[in-house]
């Protein structure tokens, strides 16, 4: 089955997020490895601040990647509920008095 444009976009976005996460941790590692302290107190503080910002950025993106599957699942559940509600409304408009056999309908 062919992949929809939305699925392709999501797949590409996920790959990009993994790339950015790897790049951020790589830059943090390189910044720490090439550090030289002692030349100026201002430069030392700025370098430490840069490390903190890179680490914060990487951890934020890692957290986002962790929560992405759960968000997709919740959107899927929400769409299913909304579709069931539309189906129930359509059945009521058509005059159905009983909805037996359709346990997925919501009241």
């Amino acid at each position: 089955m062919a992949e929809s444009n939305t699925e392709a976009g999501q797949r590409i976005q996920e790959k990009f997020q993994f790339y950015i996460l790897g790049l951020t941790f790589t830059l943090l590692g390189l910044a720490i490895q090439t550090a030289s302290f002692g030349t100026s107190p201002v430069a030392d503080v700025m370098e430490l601040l840069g490390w903190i910002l890179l680490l914060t950025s990487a951890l934020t993106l890692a957290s986002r990647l962790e929560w992405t599957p759960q968000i997709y699942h919740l959107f899927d559940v929400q769409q299913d509920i909304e579709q069931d509600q539309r189906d129930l409304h359509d059945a009521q408009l058509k005059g159905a008095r009983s909805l037996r056999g359709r346990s997925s309908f919501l009241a």
Side-chain angles (χ1 to χ4, degrees), residues 20 24 28 45 50 63 65 71 84:
I20 293 296
T24 305
L28 176 60
V45 169
S63 175
L65 287 172
I71 291 169
D84 286 346

Side-chain angles (χ1 to χ4, degrees), residues 28 31-32 35-37 40-56:
L28 176 60
I32 291 172
S36 61
F37 290 106
S40 165
V42 174
D44 295 347
V45 169
M46 294 305 285
E47 186 150 8
L48 287 173
L49 180 63
W51 292 358
I52 291 168
L53 291 174
L54 279 171
L55 181 61
T56 302

Side-chain angles (χ1 to χ4, degrees), residues 1-22:
M1 184 168 94
E3 184 177 41
S4 74
N5 289 335
T6 302
E7 292 169 344
Q10 288 173 345
R11 184 178 44 80
I12 291 168
Q13 181 182 11
E14 289 168 0
K15 286 182 180 181
F16 179 73
Q17 288 176 347
F18 280 116
Y19 169 76
I20 293 296
L21 180 64

Side-chain angles (χ1 to χ4, degrees), residues 26-98:
T26 300
L27 288 175
L28 176 60
L30 288 173
I32 291 172
Q33 263 186 340
T34 59
S36 61
F37 290 106
T39 56
S40 165
V42 174
D44 295 347
V45 169
M46 294 305 285
E47 186 150 8
L48 287 173
L49 180 63
W51 292 358
I52 291 168
L53 291 174
L54 279 171
L55 181 61
T56 302
S57 173
L59 293 176
T60 301
L61 184 55
S63 175
R64 178 185 166 113
L65 287 172
E66 179 183 9
W67 283 99
T68 298
Q70 287 84 359
I71 291 169
Y72 283 136
H73 174 70
L74 290 175
F75 281 142
D76 188 43
V77 169
Q78 180 183 5
Q79 286 178 342
D80 288 345
I81 290 171
E82 289 172 355
Q83 183 62 46
D84 286 346
Q85 288 174 339
R86 283 190 295 275
D87 291 345
L88 176 62
H89 186 281
D90 290 344
Q92 287 174 340
L93 288 177
K94 291 179 182 178
R97 295 188 184 269
S98 174

